[in-house]
């Protein structure tokens, strides 16, 4: 095993950073590649593509092989996918790569737009002759910036598992949501069997994960996996100014603002930063992104922004207890460890409710999925997909899966989408020929052995039940807050959402046990110094922008609390 894996590791270490250029005009494409190769070919690999789609395919292959990409140069005017659209998708694959847009004189307005959409580093007017004056100085500066930036070389993690294993799906989902490059192998196919043989395991216990350094993990926990693939799991200190629990938009917003304002900040997350928003294929109504932004892209930017300001971000930390110790607030984790801080921000978010229909529990991650499960999108090619739910998350998933599936059917309990889904999404869905809506419909049973193969659907007004063939069901049916661990510590409403601020003052009386000579601040819970932000807060607006706003406001209130508790 060691020889094979050592050879892989050595080959990855020897790879040269890539400069990728894409232009649909073959003559220009060759000219760009020629000029780049002449100057940089000795120490860099030059990759050329003639369409955005082909360039993205090349990037996906590069990331799976563990290659680093330093600079992306894309022509603006390309049919099918513009240079801006390509760069926006490429950012999800290589967020640290420097981005250049090639434009004609008439397209300078597009370049200005690209600065906002894809954080464009530079735009070049065509033609750029002579390259010694107009091309090379730009690329030299970008390469210098790339080399000095805080980016981690992309390496490859290998996962071997069963197609319909729930834990195999969870491992893949964990890696994808944490933006860890991995390659997936089926245990019953030749490549998978060869890797199992090389790892010295018989494959009876799966999944098997081969970490970038060559270490083999058999049925690893999330914590073991995080440690081996380079995610931070251990805090650098025992005491902070503020501990943020939860890494969704509210938690990330709080971490960015707290760290940028000089507070010693640590964010702890159970699985992966981003929360439900991080799993969204496209968020099109978030301020400042006129062409939309994927949840993973927005999450990655926010996480990098928080760490740049000095916040620590820890994964696989499961908070199970919270208490006051004098002026300090202590958070206890499932492994028995504790963190202490002057203040705590609860941004634990929510999770999708489970379908109670018979069979759904047994088939979870084997055809029945909660949330978008983007790792499964490619497997739905030319298949029929069913989505339960009528709010924005379900609509975004329908639009995304429509790009892969033969058909997408939204199963909605209400009479229409208008009451729960944003207008822009309803309009998009109406234009997609392979997406349909079945109103007044609910799932009453799921059937299958190793994998989902049938659903029973009931038309609510008539009570008529229909059995259909179905292999893919994605569920978005409302949310429950992650607040059970706070029982008896902070006040919550009947649904478990955390009460704060004015909601705690009833008939002029402050909450039981409140010892301070003031009312709770707006986002402060019934335990002074503990604040709540985002979807876990009672009566919060379930939108990404409002969650980020909550996180920022919570930090402002933390400052006020620290100045005068």
């Amino acid at each position: 095993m060691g020889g094979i894996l050592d050879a892989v590791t050595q080959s990855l270490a020897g790879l040269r950073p890539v400069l990728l250029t894409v232009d649909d005009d073959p003559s220009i494409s060759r000219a760009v590649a020629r000029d780049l190769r002449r100057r940089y070919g000795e120490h860099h690999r030059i990759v050329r593509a003639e369409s955005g789609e082909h360039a993205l395919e090349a990037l996906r292959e590069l990331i799976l092989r563990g290659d680093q990409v330093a600079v992306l140069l894309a022509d603006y005017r390309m049919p099918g996918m513009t240079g801006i659209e390509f760069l926006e998708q490429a950012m999800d694959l290589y967020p640290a790569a420097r981005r250049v847009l090639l434009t004609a004189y008439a397209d300078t307005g597009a370049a200005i737009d690209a600065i906002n959409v894809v954080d464009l580093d530079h735009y070049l007017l065509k033609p750029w002759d002579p390259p010694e004056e107009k091309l090379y100085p730009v690329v030299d500066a970008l390469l210098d910036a790339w080399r000095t930036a805080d980016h981690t070389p992309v390496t490859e993690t290998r996962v071997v598992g069963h197609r319909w294993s729930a834990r195999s799906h969870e491992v893949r989902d964990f890696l994808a949501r944490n933006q860890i490059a991995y390659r997936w192998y089926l245990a019953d196919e030749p490549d998978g069997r060869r890797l199992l043989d090389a790892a010295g395991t018989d494959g009876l216990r799966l999944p098997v994960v081969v970490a970038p350094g060559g270490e083999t993990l058999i049925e690893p926990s999330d914590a073991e996996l995080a440690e081996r693939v380079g995610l931070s799991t251990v805090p650098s200190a025992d005491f902070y100014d503020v501990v943020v629990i939860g890494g969704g938009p509210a938690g990330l917003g709080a971490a960015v603002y707290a760290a940028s304002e000089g507070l010693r900040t640590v964010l702890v997350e159970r699985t992966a930063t981003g929360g439900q928003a991080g799993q969204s294929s496209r968020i099109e109504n978030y301020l400042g992104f006129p062409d939309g932004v994927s949840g993973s892209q927005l999450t990655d930017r926010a996480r990098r922004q928080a760490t740049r300001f000095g916040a620590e971000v820890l994964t696989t930390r499961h908070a199970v207890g919270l208490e006051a110790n004098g002026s300090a607030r202590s958070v206890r984790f499932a492994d028995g460890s504790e963190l202490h801080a002057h203040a705590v921000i609860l941004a634990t978010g929510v999770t999708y409710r489970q379908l109670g229909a018979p069979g759904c529990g047994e088939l979870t991650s084997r055809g029945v999925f909660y949330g978008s499960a983007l790792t499964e999108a490619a497997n739905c090619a030319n298949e029929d997909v069913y989505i339960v739910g009528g709010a924005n998350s379900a609509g975004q998933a329908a639009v995304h899966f429509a790009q892969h599936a033969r058909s997408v059917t939204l199963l909605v309990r209400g009479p229409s989408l208008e009451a729960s889904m944003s207008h822009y999404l309803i309009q998009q869905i109406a234009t997609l020929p392979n997406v349909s809506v079945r109103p007044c419909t609910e799932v009453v049973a799921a059937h299958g052995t190793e994998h989902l193969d049938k659903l029973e659907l009931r038309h609510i007004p008539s009570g008529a039940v229909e059995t259909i063939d179905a292999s893919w069901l994605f569920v978005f049916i409302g949310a429950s807050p992650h607040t059970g661990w706070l029982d008896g510590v902070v006040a919550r409403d009947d649904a478990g959402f955390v009460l704060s601020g004015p909601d705690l003052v009833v008939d002029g009386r402050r909450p039981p046990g409140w010892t301070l000579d003031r009312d709770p601040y707006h986002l402060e819970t019934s335990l002074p110094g503990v604040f709540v932000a985002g979807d876990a807060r009672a009566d919060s607006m379930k939108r990404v922008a409002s969650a980020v706003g909550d996180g920022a406001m919570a930090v402002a209130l933390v400052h006020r609390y620290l100045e005068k508790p």
Side-chain angles (χ1 to χ4, degrees):
M1 177 184 69
I4 295 175
L5 298 179
D6 289 345
V8 171
T9 303
Q10 291 168 9
S11 67
L12 289 176
L15 293 175
R16 297 171 293 168
V18 170
L19 309 182
L20 184 144
T21 174
V22 52
D23 196 305
D24 65 298
D25 186 327
S27 61
I28 295 178
S29 178
R30 286 192 295 269
V32 176
R34 179 199 63 219
D35 288 343
L36 291 175
R37 194 171 291 110
R38 182 185 305 160
R39 172 88 167 204
Y40 306 103
E42 182 178 356
H43 301 293
H44 300 79
R45 295 173 58 208
I46 312 302
V47 175
R48 180 171 69 90
E50 293 183 1
S51 74
E53 292 82 359
H54 290 159
L56 288 174
E57 290 177 8
L59 288 178
R60 293 186 186 101
E61 292 179 8
L62 291 169
I63 201 170
L64 288 175
R65 293 210 309 257
D67 291 3
Q68 299 182 62
V69 175
V71 179
L72 302 166
L73 301 95
D75 180 57
Y76 170 60
R77 290 184 178 272
M78 293 189 293
M81 179 183 294
T82 69
I84 294 177
E85 291 170 339
F86 160 72
L87 290 173
E88 187 174 10
Q89 294 190 45
M91 286 174 66
D92 287 340
L93 301 173
Y94 282 97
R98 300 295 163 167
R99 294 171 285 278
V100 179
L101 193 68
L102 304 178
T103 66
Y105 284 103
D107 295 328
T108 53
I112 294 172
D113 291 340
I115 294 174
N116 296 320
V117 176
V118 297
D119 291 343
L120 193 70
D121 294 293
H122 202 90
Y123 71 90
L124 284 172
L125 294 177
K126 299 185 294 186
W128 58 86
D129 287 328
E132 289 77 8
E133 295 179 11
K134 298 183 178 181
L135 178 65
Y136 296 156
V138 170
V139 178
D140 286 345
L142 294 177
L143 286 173
D144 287 342
W146 179 82
R147 292 188 192 100
T148 58
D150 180 19
H151 62 273
T152 303
V154 177
T155 52
E156 181 181 76
T157 296
R158 300 179 176 191
V159 182
V160 186
H162 286 306
R163 178 67 190 86
W164 304 122
S165 158
R167 183 55 188 159
S168 294
H169 165 76
E170 290 168 359
V171 165
R172 294 167 62 201
D173 193 57
F174 177 85
L175 294 172
R177 291 181 60 190
N178 282 287
Q179 302 189 22
I180 302 298
Y182 73 92
R183 189 181 296 235
W184 165 246
Y185 297 86
L186 290 173
D188 56 358
E189 292 188 351
D191 287 343
R193 288 196 297 270
R194 279 194 290 269
L195 191 56
L196 290 174
D197 290 342
T201 179
D202 55 14
L204 295 179
R205 296 171 57 203
L206 294 172
V208 170
V209 178
V210 181
E215 183 179 4
T216 298
L217 309 174
I218 299 176
E219 295 181 325
S221 66
D222 286 352
E224 292 172 327
L225 198 56
E227 182 180 353
R228 298 308 191 278
V229 299
L231 297 174
S232 296
T233 60
V234 179
S236 64
D238 294 326
F239 198 93
Y240 294 84
D241 289 322
V242 59
V243 174
V244 181
I245 309 295
L252 287 168
V256 167
Y257 281 95
S260 68
E261 294 169 12
L263 296 178
R264 291 170 298 167
T265 305
V266 60
L267 181 152
V268 293
E269 165 59 42
R270 293 194 311 169
T271 304
T273 53
Q276 286 185 329
Q279 300 178 69
S280 175
S281 57
R282 203 75 176 168
I283 303 170
E284 299 204 41
N285 58 352
Y286 189 70
L287 185 67
F289 292 87
D291 297 314
V293 60
S294 72
S296 63
Q297 183 179 340
L298 186 64
T299 295
D300 179 66
R301 290 185 182 187
R303 180 189 53 77
R304 288 189 288 124
Q305 192 174 18
T307 56
R308 183 170 66 85
F309 283 125
E312 292 182 44
V313 178
L314 309 179
T315 58
T316 65
R317 307 289 293 183
H318 187 190
V320 296
L322 173 65
E323 62 183 13
N325 287 314
S327 62
R329 301 293 176 261
S330 300
V331 180
R332 187 174 68 258
F333 298 97
D335 63 359
S337 63
E338 291 187 346
L339 278 178
H340 312 280
H342 292 300
V344 171
I345 297 175
L346 302 172
T348 51
V350 294
T351 187
Y352 290 111
R353 294 195 181 103
Q354 306 288 296
L355 270 180
C360 289
E362 296 82 352
L363 292 170
T364 297
S365 298
R366 295 190 288 139
V368 178
F369 301 92
Y370 292 88
S372 55
L374 297 181
T375 54
E376 301 295 333
N379 297 319
C380 295
N382 300 316
E383 299 269 356
D384 298 317
V385 170
Y386 292 84
I387 296 174
V388 179
N392 279 9
S393 296
Q396 290 163 352
V399 172
H400 177 70
F401 281 108
Q403 303 174 37
H404 305 272
R406 176 172 54 205
S407 72
V408 177
T409 303
L410 279 162
L411 306 175
V412 184
R413 285 182 58 87
S416 69
L417 297 174
E418 278 71 13
S420 55
M421 189 177 293
S422 293
H423 181 64
Y424 80 90
L425 272 173
I426 296 174
Q427 287 184 311
Q428 282 190 32
I429 289 171
T431 66
L432 298 173
N434 61 335
V435 178
S436 60
V437 180
R438 288 186 60 161
C440 303
T441 301
E442 63 180 356
V443 176
V444 294
H447 301 281
T449 50
E450 291 189 352
H451 181 262
L452 174 70
D453 57 38
K454 292 185 185 298
L455 287 173
E456 289 184 35
L457 306 180
R458 178 165 57 209
H459 183 244
I460 297 172
S462 67
V465 175
E466 175 188 4
T467 300
I468 62 170
D469 293 331
S471 299
W472 302 95
L473 180 70
F474 298 88
V475 182
F476 305 82
I477 55 169
S480 300
H482 290 299
T483 59
W485 62 286
L486 297 169
D487 188 28
V489 180
V490 299
R492 300 179 297 153
D493 66 13
D494 293 340
F497 292 92
V498 177
L499 297 169
S500 63
D503 292 338
L504 294 169
V505 181
V506 181
D507 296 329
R509 295 192 303 271
R510 293 165 182 161
W514 186 265
T515 58
L516 301 182
D517 189 23
R518 63 167 175 81
D519 289 348
Y521 294 135
H522 183 64
L523 298 180
E524 195 170 19
T525 70
S526 59
L527 178 60
V530 176
F531 300 82
V532 62
D535 290 355
R537 179 171 64 86
D539 296 324
S540 65
M541 179 69 70
K542 303 300 188 284
R543 291 289 186 271
V544 175
S546 61
V548 173
D550 268 10
M553 185 187 299
V555 171
L557 296 172
V558 166
H559 279 294
R560 189 183 300 179
Y561 172 80
L562 294 178
E563 291 168 2
K564 185 180 179 180

